[in-house]
Amino acid sequence: MPDLTKTAPLLFLHAGGLDGEVYNLSSTSTTAFTALEGWDGFGIPDPEWRTVQRNNSAGSHVRSVHLKEREIFLPLMIWGESQAECLANWDALVNALIPRAGESSVLEVRRPGVPPRFINVVYRDGLGGKFGEDFRGWHYKVGLTLIAHDPYFWEADSMVSWNVRGNYKPFISGGEMVKTHSFFPVILSPSVVNGSRKVTISGDVEAFPIWQITGAVTDVRVTNVETGDSFSITGSIAPGETITVDTTVFDVYSQNDRSGALWDRLTVDSKLFRLDAGRHTIKVTGSGMDERSEIALIYKPRYVKGI
Protein backbone atom coordinates (compact mmCIF):
# COMPACT_ATOMS: atom_id res chain seq x y z
CA MET A 1 0.00 0.00 0.00
CA PRO A 2 1.27 3.51 -0.72
CA ASP A 3 2.39 5.65 2.21
CA LEU A 4 -0.36 8.24 2.37
CA THR A 5 1.26 10.02 5.32
CA LYS A 6 3.96 11.60 3.17
CA THR A 7 3.27 15.16 2.16
CA ALA A 8 2.79 16.16 -1.46
CA PRO A 9 5.45 18.25 -3.20
CA LEU A 10 5.33 21.91 -2.29
CA LEU A 11 5.55 24.74 -4.83
CA PHE A 12 7.00 28.21 -4.33
CA LEU A 13 7.22 31.02 -6.89
CA HIS A 14 10.13 33.45 -6.54
CA ALA A 15 9.00 36.55 -8.41
CA GLY A 16 11.67 38.00 -10.67
CA GLY A 17 14.34 35.55 -9.44
CA LEU A 18 15.49 33.80 -6.28
CA ASP A 19 15.92 37.11 -4.45
CA GLY A 20 12.37 38.21 -5.25
CA GLU A 21 9.19 37.94 -3.20
CA VAL A 22 8.18 34.34 -2.51
CA TYR A 23 4.64 33.09 -3.16
CA ASN A 24 3.65 29.85 -1.45
CA LEU A 25 1.57 27.83 -3.91
CA SER A 26 0.67 25.30 -1.23
CA SER A 27 -0.77 21.94 -2.31
CA THR A 28 -1.52 20.82 1.25
CA SER A 29 -3.64 23.59 2.73
CA THR A 30 -5.83 26.53 1.87
CA THR A 31 -3.54 29.54 1.55
CA ALA A 32 -3.72 32.72 -0.51
CA PHE A 33 -2.62 30.64 -3.50
CA THR A 34 -3.41 26.93 -3.52
CA ALA A 35 -2.28 24.55 -6.26
CA LEU A 36 -5.17 22.25 -7.13
CA GLU A 37 -5.06 18.82 -8.76
CA GLY A 38 -3.91 18.72 -12.36
CA TRP A 39 -0.27 19.91 -12.36
CA ASP A 40 1.43 19.30 -15.68
CA GLY A 41 4.89 19.78 -17.15
CA PHE A 42 7.10 18.34 -14.39
CA GLY A 43 8.37 15.31 -16.32
CA ILE A 44 10.20 14.97 -19.65
CA PRO A 45 9.66 17.93 -22.01
CA ASP A 46 8.72 17.26 -25.62
CA PRO A 47 11.73 16.18 -27.69
CA GLU A 48 12.52 17.41 -31.18
CA TRP A 49 14.09 14.70 -33.34
CA ARG A 50 16.09 15.59 -36.43
CA THR A 51 16.20 12.70 -38.84
CA VAL A 52 17.09 11.87 -42.42
CA GLN A 53 15.34 9.24 -44.50
CA ARG A 54 17.16 5.95 -44.97
CA ASN A 55 18.25 5.12 -48.52
CA ASN A 56 16.69 1.95 -49.91
CA SER A 57 15.16 1.09 -46.54
CA ALA A 58 12.27 1.97 -44.30
CA GLY A 59 12.45 4.52 -41.55
CA SER A 60 15.11 7.14 -40.91
CA HIS A 61 18.44 7.87 -39.25
CA VAL A 62 18.49 10.08 -36.15
CA ARG A 63 20.83 13.03 -36.61
CA SER A 64 20.15 14.81 -33.32
CA VAL A 65 17.59 15.35 -30.60
CA HIS A 66 17.00 18.22 -28.20
CA LEU A 67 14.32 19.02 -25.67
CA LYS A 68 11.93 21.82 -26.48
CA GLU A 69 11.03 24.60 -24.08
CA ARG A 70 8.91 23.34 -21.18
CA GLU A 71 5.30 24.34 -20.58
CA ILE A 72 4.13 24.09 -16.96
CA PHE A 73 0.42 24.20 -16.10
CA LEU A 74 -0.77 24.98 -12.58
CA PRO A 75 -4.48 25.13 -11.66
CA LEU A 76 -4.63 27.65 -8.82
CA MET A 77 -7.26 28.78 -6.39
CA ILE A 78 -6.75 32.36 -5.22
CA TRP A 79 -8.34 32.83 -1.79
CA GLY A 80 -9.30 35.69 0.47
CA GLU A 81 -11.31 36.27 3.63
CA SER A 82 -13.26 38.82 1.59
CA GLN A 83 -13.65 39.86 -2.02
CA ALA A 84 -11.24 42.73 -1.41
CA GLU A 85 -8.58 40.35 -0.04
CA CYS A 86 -9.09 37.86 -2.88
CA LEU A 87 -8.64 40.61 -5.48
CA ALA A 88 -5.59 41.95 -3.62
CA ASN A 89 -4.00 38.49 -3.87
CA TRP A 90 -4.95 38.37 -7.55
CA ASP A 91 -3.28 41.77 -8.07
CA ALA A 92 -0.12 40.56 -6.31
CA LEU A 93 0.18 37.46 -8.52
CA VAL A 94 -0.39 39.48 -11.70
CA ASN A 95 2.26 42.02 -10.67
CA ALA A 96 4.69 39.21 -9.87
CA LEU A 97 4.39 37.68 -13.33
CA ILE A 98 4.24 40.75 -15.60
CA PRO A 99 6.42 39.82 -18.61
CA ARG A 100 9.67 41.78 -18.72
CA ALA A 101 12.51 41.31 -21.19
CA GLY A 102 15.60 39.84 -19.57
CA GLU A 103 13.78 38.81 -16.39
CA SER A 104 12.40 35.49 -15.26
CA SER A 105 10.89 34.11 -12.10
CA VAL A 106 11.92 30.86 -10.43
CA LEU A 107 9.58 27.99 -9.61
CA GLU A 108 10.78 25.88 -6.68
CA VAL A 109 9.68 22.30 -6.02
CA ARG A 110 10.25 20.87 -2.55
CA ARG A 111 9.91 17.14 -1.98
CA PRO A 112 10.42 15.25 1.29
CA GLY A 113 13.94 13.91 1.76
CA VAL A 114 15.59 15.43 -1.33
CA PRO A 115 17.12 18.84 -2.16
CA PRO A 116 14.76 21.42 -3.69
CA ARG A 117 14.74 21.78 -7.47
CA PHE A 118 14.29 25.03 -9.34
CA ILE A 119 13.42 26.13 -12.85
CA ASN A 120 13.41 29.57 -14.51
CA VAL A 121 9.98 30.46 -15.83
CA VAL A 122 8.07 33.29 -17.50
CA TYR A 123 4.34 33.88 -17.85
CA ARG A 124 2.42 32.57 -20.86
CA ASP A 125 -1.30 32.36 -20.07
CA GLY A 126 -4.03 32.17 -17.44
CA LEU A 127 -4.06 35.62 -15.86
CA GLY A 128 -6.08 37.33 -18.55
CA GLY A 129 -8.69 38.48 -16.04
CA LYS A 130 -11.86 36.63 -17.06
CA PHE A 131 -14.21 37.10 -14.10
CA GLY A 132 -16.93 34.58 -14.92
CA GLU A 133 -18.10 31.39 -13.28
CA ASP A 134 -14.62 30.75 -11.80
CA PHE A 135 -14.83 33.92 -9.70
CA ARG A 136 -16.87 33.65 -6.53
CA GLY A 137 -15.95 36.81 -4.68
CA TRP A 138 -13.69 35.32 -2.00
CA HIS A 139 -12.07 32.73 -4.26
CA TYR A 140 -11.00 32.75 -7.91
CA LYS A 141 -9.89 29.70 -9.92
CA VAL A 142 -7.30 30.25 -12.67
CA GLY A 143 -5.26 27.97 -14.93
CA LEU A 144 -1.73 29.41 -14.87
CA THR A 145 0.62 28.45 -17.70
CA LEU A 146 4.35 29.15 -17.37
CA ILE A 147 7.11 28.66 -19.92
CA ALA A 148 10.66 27.51 -19.17
CA HIS A 149 12.83 28.41 -22.15
CA ASP A 150 15.58 26.31 -20.57
CA PRO A 151 13.65 23.08 -19.92
CA TYR A 152 15.93 21.70 -17.19
CA PHE A 153 15.34 21.84 -13.46
CA TRP A 154 18.40 22.58 -11.35
CA GLU A 155 19.57 22.28 -7.77
CA ALA A 156 21.62 24.68 -5.66
CA ASP A 157 25.30 25.11 -6.51
CA SER A 158 27.80 22.39 -5.70
CA MET A 159 31.43 23.39 -5.22
CA VAL A 160 34.84 21.71 -5.05
CA SER A 161 37.89 23.75 -4.00
CA TRP A 162 41.64 23.43 -4.56
CA ASN A 163 43.79 25.47 -2.16
CA VAL A 164 46.90 25.32 0.03
CA ARG A 165 45.27 26.15 3.36
CA GLY A 166 45.96 24.04 6.41
CA ASN A 167 43.42 21.53 7.68
CA TYR A 168 42.06 21.01 4.16
CA LYS A 169 38.36 20.28 4.03
CA PRO A 170 36.49 20.14 0.72
CA PHE A 171 33.17 21.94 0.60
CA ILE A 172 30.34 20.27 -1.26
CA SER A 173 26.73 21.27 -0.82
CA GLY A 174 24.14 18.58 -0.48
CA GLY A 175 25.65 16.38 2.23
CA GLU A 176 25.31 13.04 0.49
CA MET A 177 27.58 14.21 -2.33
CA VAL A 178 30.61 13.83 -0.07
CA LYS A 179 30.15 10.06 -0.41
CA THR A 180 30.59 10.23 -4.20
CA HIS A 181 33.75 12.39 -4.35
CA SER A 182 37.30 11.17 -3.81
CA PHE A 183 39.88 13.83 -2.98
CA PHE A 184 43.58 13.61 -3.81
CA PRO A 185 45.14 17.00 -3.07
CA VAL A 186 48.90 17.01 -3.49
CA ILE A 187 50.57 20.00 -1.83
CA LEU A 188 54.11 20.19 -3.23
CA SER A 189 55.07 23.24 -1.13
CA PRO A 190 53.15 25.87 0.85
CA SER A 191 52.52 27.78 -2.41
CA VAL A 192 52.02 25.05 -5.03
CA VAL A 193 49.00 22.85 -5.70
CA ASN A 194 49.01 19.85 -8.04
CA GLY A 195 45.89 17.86 -7.32
CA SER A 196 43.65 15.34 -9.06
CA ARG A 197 40.14 14.65 -7.79
CA LYS A 198 37.52 12.10 -8.67
CA VAL A 199 34.44 14.29 -8.99
CA THR A 200 30.94 12.93 -9.55
CA ILE A 201 28.66 15.35 -11.39
CA SER A 202 25.11 14.87 -10.15
CA GLY A 203 22.08 15.27 -12.37
CA ASP A 204 20.63 13.81 -15.55
CA VAL A 205 22.55 15.86 -18.12
CA GLU A 206 25.83 17.72 -18.53
CA ALA A 207 26.77 20.50 -16.14
CA PHE A 208 28.17 23.91 -17.06
CA PRO A 209 31.17 24.43 -14.76
CA ILE A 210 32.05 27.90 -13.52
CA TRP A 211 35.69 28.13 -12.44
CA GLN A 212 36.52 30.91 -9.99
CA ILE A 213 40.27 31.43 -9.67
CA THR A 214 41.28 33.74 -6.84
CA GLY A 215 44.84 35.04 -6.42
CA ALA A 216 47.51 35.06 -5.54
CA VAL A 217 48.24 32.31 -8.08
CA THR A 218 50.34 31.89 -11.21
CA ASP A 219 49.99 29.72 -14.34
CA VAL A 220 46.78 27.85 -13.53
CA ARG A 221 45.95 24.80 -15.60
CA VAL A 222 42.72 22.76 -15.34
CA THR A 223 42.46 19.39 -17.11
CA ASN A 224 39.72 16.81 -17.61
CA VAL A 225 41.97 13.75 -17.40
CA GLU A 226 39.57 11.40 -19.21
CA THR A 227 39.09 13.58 -22.29
CA GLY A 228 42.35 15.56 -22.26
CA ASP A 229 40.47 18.85 -22.59
CA SER A 230 42.11 21.64 -20.62
CA PHE A 231 42.54 25.38 -20.28
CA SER A 232 45.35 27.51 -18.89
CA ILE A 233 45.39 31.03 -17.46
CA THR A 234 48.72 32.67 -18.28
CA GLY A 235 50.63 34.90 -15.91
CA SER A 236 49.79 35.87 -12.36
CA ILE A 237 46.49 36.71 -10.71
CA ALA A 238 46.91 39.35 -8.01
CA PRO A 239 45.97 38.67 -4.38
CA GLY A 240 42.23 39.07 -3.94
CA GLU A 241 41.54 39.24 -7.71
CA THR A 242 39.18 36.61 -9.13
CA ILE A 243 39.11 35.50 -12.74
CA THR A 244 36.02 33.52 -13.72
CA VAL A 245 35.99 30.95 -16.53
CA ASP A 246 32.29 30.47 -17.23
CA THR A 247 31.24 27.59 -19.49
CA THR A 248 27.58 28.58 -19.14
CA VAL A 249 28.20 31.43 -21.59
CA PHE A 250 31.77 30.49 -22.66
CA ASP A 251 33.33 33.66 -21.35
CA VAL A 252 36.32 34.71 -19.24
CA TYR A 253 35.94 37.74 -16.98
CA SER A 254 36.80 39.32 -13.63
CA GLN A 255 35.26 41.86 -11.27
CA ASN A 256 36.54 44.69 -13.46
CA ASP A 257 36.74 43.16 -16.94
CA ARG A 258 33.55 41.75 -18.46
CA SER A 259 32.24 40.47 -21.79
CA GLY A 260 35.25 38.65 -23.17
CA ALA A 261 37.87 41.19 -22.12
CA LEU A 262 40.12 38.48 -20.65
CA TRP A 263 40.15 35.91 -23.43
CA ASP A 264 43.78 36.84 -24.09
CA ARG A 265 44.67 35.37 -20.68
CA LEU A 266 43.95 31.88 -22.05
CA THR A 267 46.64 29.95 -23.91
CA VAL A 268 45.97 29.22 -27.58
CA ASP A 269 45.56 25.50 -26.91
CA SER A 270 42.88 26.05 -24.24
CA LYS A 271 39.50 24.40 -24.64
CA LEU A 272 36.67 25.27 -22.28
CA PHE A 273 34.83 22.07 -21.41
CA ARG A 274 31.56 21.05 -19.85
CA LEU A 275 31.10 17.95 -17.72
CA ASP A 276 28.65 15.14 -18.44
CA ALA A 277 26.73 13.67 -15.54
CA GLY A 278 28.85 10.98 -13.90
CA ARG A 279 32.40 10.53 -12.69
CA HIS A 280 35.41 12.57 -13.85
CA THR A 281 39.03 13.04 -12.88
CA ILE A 282 39.89 16.74 -12.71
CA LYS A 283 43.49 17.86 -12.33
CA VAL A 284 44.39 21.39 -11.25
CA THR A 285 47.87 22.90 -11.06
CA GLY A 286 49.05 26.33 -9.97
CA SER A 287 51.90 28.03 -8.13
CA GLY A 288 52.58 31.15 -6.09
CA MET A 289 49.53 30.51 -3.90
CA ASP A 290 48.89 31.63 -0.33
CA GLU A 291 46.11 31.45 2.26
CA ARG A 292 43.88 33.72 0.15
CA SER A 293 44.22 31.63 -3.01
CA GLU A 294 41.53 29.29 -4.28
CA ILE A 295 40.60 27.47 -7.48
CA ALA A 296 36.93 26.52 -7.24
CA LEU A 297 34.72 24.38 -9.46
CA ILE A 298 31.07 25.46 -9.13
CA TYR A 299 28.17 23.88 -10.96
CA LYS A 300 24.41 23.38 -10.77
CA PRO A 301 23.16 19.78 -11.09
CA ARG A 302 20.53 19.74 -13.86
CA TYR A 303 17.56 17.39 -14.17
CA VAL A 304 15.00 16.44 -16.80
CA LYS A 305 12.18 16.25 -14.26
CA GLY A 306 11.08 18.31 -11.30
CA ILE A 307 9.10 15.62 -9.52
Side-chain angles (χ1 to χ4, degrees):
M1 293 292 293
D3 185 356
L4 300 180
T5 65
K6 292 186 176 180
T7 60
L10 299 179
L11 288 179
F12 298 86
L13 180 70
H14 301 255
L18 282 179
D19 295 329
E21 186 173 354
V22 180
Y23 293 83
N24 181 1
L25 310 181
S26 171
S27 60
T28 61
S29 63
T30 300
T31 61
F33 308 97
T34 300
L36 306 175
E37 291 185 358
W39 305 7
D40 195 9
F42 292 85
I44 302 176
D46 292 337
E48 181 175 329
W49 299 90
R50 296 188 178 181
T51 62
V52 60
Q53 184 175 336
R54 295 175 183 267
N55 292 326
N56 303 318
S57 180
S60 57
H61 295 284
V62 176
R63 289 290 179 87
S64 65
V65 60
H66 82 278
L67 299 183
K68 298 180 180 179
E69 62 185 22
R70 181 189 296 269
E71 184 173 285
I72 295 175
F73 176 73
L74 294 174
L76 292 179
M77 187 69 79
I78 303 173
W79 297 90
E81 293 295 328
S82 64
Q83 177 170 299
E85 183 178 336
C86 177
L87 291 177
N89 291 334
W90 150 262
D91 289 341
L93 186 61
V94 169
N95 290 334
L97 290 171
I98 292 175
R100 296 180 176 90
E103 179 181 295
S104 64
S105 296
V106 176
L107 190 66
E108 176 185 356
V109 182
R110 297 183 190 173
R111 301 176 298 158
V114 297
R117 292 186 182 177
F118 307 86
I119 192 166
N120 296 82
V121 294
V122 295
Y123 170 77
R124 168 165 283 184
D125 191 31
L127 300 180
K130 180 180 180 182
F131 290 87
E133 61 183 16
D134 289 326
F135 177 63
R136 289 294 182 265
W138 52 275
H139 63 84
Y140 183 20
K141 185 179 180 181
V142 300
L144 177 62
T145 301
L146 303 170
I147 291 296
H149 294 117
D150 179 346
Y152 294 106
F153 286 85
W154 45 271
E155 290 180 354
D157 287 349
S158 292
M159 174 176 154
V160 182
S161 173
W162 284 257
N163 57 62
V164 295
R165 301 178 194 125
N167 298 320
Y168 174 82
K169 290 184 179 180
F171 165 74
I172 300 178
S173 64
E176 289 297 314
M177 293 185 61
V178 173
K179 299 177 181 179
T180 62
H181 290 67
S182 298
F183 300 93
F184 305 102
V186 180
I187 308 301
L188 301 182
S189 76
S191 65
V192 178
V193 66
N194 184 346
S196 294
R197 308 259 173 84
K198 296 289 186 181
V199 177
T200 298
I201 299 296
S202 302
D204 296 328
V205 294
E206 69 175 0
F208 303 158
I210 297 175
W211 297 90
Q212 290 187 342
I213 305 165
T214 301
V217 64
T218 300
D219 294 335
V220 172
R221 188 171 187 87
V222 177
T223 304
N224 183 340
V225 174
E226 282 80 13
T227 65
D229 294 337
S230 68
F231 65 87
S232 299
I233 303 290
T234 61
S236 297
I237 300 175
E241 179 187 5
T242 298
I243 288 182
T244 299
V245 179
D246 188 344
T247 69
T248 304
V249 292
F250 288 109
D251 199 1
V252 183
Y253 51 85
S254 68
Q255 302 100 311
N256 300 318
D257 297 287
R258 308 288 295 188
S259 301
L262 296 181
W263 271 101
D264 59 351
R265 294 293 300 270
L266 293 180
T267 58
V268 294
D269 63 340
S270 291
K271 180 178 181 180
L272 303 189
F273 56 86
R274 292 172 172 173
L275 294 171
D276 291 332
R279 203 163 178 82
H280 302 268
T281 304
I282 305 298
K283 182 177 181 180
V284 171
T285 61
S287 61
M289 301 176 72
D290 59 26
E291 291 291 320
R292 296 164 294 182
S293 309
E294 183 172 53
I295 302 167
L297 161 61
I298 303 168
Y299 74 95
K300 284 180 169 59
R302 302 193 305 148
Y303 296 88
V304 170
K305 61 186 179 66
I307 299 175

